[in-house]
């Protein structure tokens, strides 16, 4: 395995299942070598706004603190006017990407999900809309379009969605997935939907929710399935290991994952996913400090300023009120790395 890593060769599936046996420094050494080759010492981020229009959900996932339930008895469902007010304000603040993720809610029909994209785009054509996780597409397809994923994807194009976020992947292993979110999009469906979107020439991200009931081998299986899909359809821009935030969920008594295991997971992602350009250490779930350390262990991106976010912050993440551009830049520069603002598709906008 080390010989292959030294020669920049792809690891076999069998090799990958042994990666956690290596210590953090060895994994970091190889992950950083790959990261340096791809991105030198650039750290990417963008100016974005997360909007989560409703927390009323037909599903009940064990890990979730966001959807309205007995731990979170405050259901909400924003009107388009309320969403547009948020958009107007955030565009004034310099936001270039709106990232919209909703719970699965029949209240406004499929039109409520889609019409807002066009309203935003008509008013602000320069704004990139990243919206509709594969879980939402699955919900809308099965509720309104006889399970036809392509029909929903066509609607996304018609209503001017630019790219798809990586949410809803959770963990692909079926046994664990059944325990976490049995009614949600299935793993094969998640991968298939992204493949269909890529076929349209569009980009998306892939996430992995980790640090709950999954084991190391489930994370490896997850990354290998993404590597395989990427070989086929090629449209994943970034892989985002999302550290599970435990507060206010049905699983809140689970022990937290340690920092070494978190960094090893990020380094392993960089090593396995030789066909995905970017590894995002999402500062909201890792905390900015660990996300910065992760930049030495294979990651090359932090996500963005966020401004506000409700899904992970409901579980205790630091993303409730975002992070200032200045905090991003100063943290990156004082780590002796290059602070690069990027657009949603990883084109460089500005070096600070
Ligand atoms: O699918 C839910 C996760 C995802 C918790 O594509 C949680 O650039 C941690 O996908 N703790 C939605 N995570 C958010 C998402 C995302 C975030 C940032 C960037 C991108 C991107 C995508 O959040 C869900 C689920 O996997 N999630 N609850 C929690 N308590």
């Amino acid at each position: 395995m080390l010989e292959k890593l030294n020669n920049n060769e792809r690891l076999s599936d069998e090799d990958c299942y042994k990666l956690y046996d290596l210590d953090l420094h060895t994994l970091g050494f190889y992950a950083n070598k790959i990261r340096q080759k791809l991105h030198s010492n650039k750290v990417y981020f963008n100016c974005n706004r997360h909007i989560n229009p409703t927390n009323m959900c037909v599903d009940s996932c064990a890990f979730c603190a966001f959807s309205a339930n007995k731990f979170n008895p405050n259901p909400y469902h924003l009107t388009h006017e309320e969403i547009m007010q948020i958009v107007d304000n955030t565009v004034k603040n310099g936001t270039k990407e709106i990232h919209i993720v909703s719970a699965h809610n029949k209240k406004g029909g499929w039109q409520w999900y889609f019409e807002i994209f066009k309203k935003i785009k008509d008013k602000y054509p320069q704004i990139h809309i990243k919206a509709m996780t594969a879980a939402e597409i699955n919900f809308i397809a099965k509720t309104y379009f006889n399970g036809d994923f392509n029909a929903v994807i066509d609607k996304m194009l018609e209503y001017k969605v630019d790219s798809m976020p990586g949410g809803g992947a959770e963990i692909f292993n079926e046994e664990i997935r059944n325990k976490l979110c049995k009614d949600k999009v299935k793993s094969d469906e998640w991968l298939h939907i992204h493949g269909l979107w890529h076929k349209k020439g569009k980009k998306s991200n892939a996430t992995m929710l980790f640090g709950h009931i999954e084991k190391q081998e489930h994370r490896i299986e997850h990354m290998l399935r993404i590597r395989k899909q990427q070989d086929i359809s090629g449209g994943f821009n970034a892989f985002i290991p999302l550290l599970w935030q435990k507060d206010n969920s049905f699983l809140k008594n689970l022990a937290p994952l340690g920092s070494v295991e978190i960094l090893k997971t990020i380094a392993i992602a960089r090593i396995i996913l030789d066909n995905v350009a970017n590894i995002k250490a999402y500062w909201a779930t890792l905390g900015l400090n660990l996300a910065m350390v992760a930049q030495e262990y294979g990651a090359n991106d932090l996500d963005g300023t966020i401004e506000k976010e409700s899904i992970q912050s409901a579980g205790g993440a630091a993303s409730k009120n975002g992070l200032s551009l200045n905090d991003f830049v100063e943290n990156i520069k004082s780590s002796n790395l290059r602070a690069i603002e990027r657009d949603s598709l990883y084109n460089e906008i500005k070096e600070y």
Side-chain angles (χ1 to χ4, degrees), residues 91-327:
V91 170
K92 271 186 221 135
N93 294 338
T95 287
K96 299 184 179 75
E97 170 193 286
I98 308 275
H99 178 165
I100 302 180
V101 176
S102 281
H104 309 152
N105 184 350
K106 295 182 185 165
K107 195 169 171 187
W110 66 265
Q111 292 85 348
W112 177 81
Y113 278 85
F114 282 94
E115 282 164 5
I116 189 62
F117 305 141
K118 213 155 183 205
K119 284 181 188 163
I120 296 173
K121 217 52 182 187
D122 283 349
K123 192 159 183 191
Y124 302 109
Q126 78 281 12
I127 291 289
H128 182 104
I129 298 186
K130 183 160 84 179
M132 297 296 294
T133 64
E136 289 165 276
I137 294 173
N138 174 69
F139 162 70
I140 288 177
K142 290 181 182 164
T143 311
Y144 304 107
F145 294 92
N146 291 322
D148 183 352
F149 298 141
N150 265 316
V152 183
I153 284 176
D154 286 343
K155 284 268 174 274
M156 286 163 67
L157 296 172
E158 185 188 336
Y159 284 82
K160 310 244 184 290
V161 173
D162 292 297
S163 69
M164 260 176 78
E170 322 314 356
I171 200 89
F172 288 148
N173 178 271
E174 315 297 348
E175 204 180 312
I176 303 294
R177 196 174 185 84
N178 268 337
K179 290 183 185 158
L180 286 180
C181 51
K182 67 177 168 40
D183 300 320
K184 209 172 191 169
V185 61
K186 304 284 174 236
S187 314
D188 283 344
E189 291 171 327
W190 189 98
L191 291 161
H192 178 60
I193 289 168
H194 280 261
L196 293 175
W197 181 246
H198 297 168
K199 243 191 195 161
K200 303 280 183 191
K202 295 291 191 177
K203 300 288 184 186
S204 67
N205 290 332
T207 58
M208 173 180 77
L209 187 67
F210 73 114
H212 41 83
I213 56 170
E214 92 293 352
K215 302 260 183 319
Q216 290 174 342
E217 64 264 30
H218 304 127
R219 293 178 216 143
I220 302 289
E221 175 191 339
H222 190 98
M223 295 180 213
L224 284 171
R225 287 175 80 174
I226 286 169
R227 184 170 83 173
K228 199 166 158 207
Q229 182 62 44
Q230 182 76 333
D231 279 343
I232 298 167
S233 58
F236 291 122
N237 259 339
F239 178 65
I240 313 160
L242 294 170
L243 179 65
W244 179 59
Q245 310 290 299
K246 69 217 267 342
D247 292 356
N248 304 315
S249 82
F250 296 103
L251 300 174
K252 65 181 176 178
N253 293 325
L254 289 177
L257 203 64
S259 307
V260 170
E261 188 74 0
I262 294 168
L263 288 176
K264 279 177 99 168
T265 302
I266 289 168
I268 287 172
R270 181 61 287 166
I271 291 169
I272 294 182
L273 293 168
D274 57 358
N275 53 2
V276 178
N278 301 290
I279 304 292
K280 189 185 281 189
Y282 184 43
W283 70 267
T285 59
L286 297 176
L288 185 58
N289 285 339
L290 193 59
M292 283 309 305
V293 177
Q295 305 299 314
E296 308 277 343
Y297 286 82
N300 61 286
D301 190 84
L302 290 163
D303 198 74
T305 43
I306 294 177
E307 203 174 281
K308 259 202 168 40
E309 187 278 339
S310 310
I311 300 178
Q312 278 109 359
S313 61
S319 42
K320 195 163 186 212
N321 294 311
L323 200 67
S324 74
L325 185 62
N326 194 49
D327 278 359

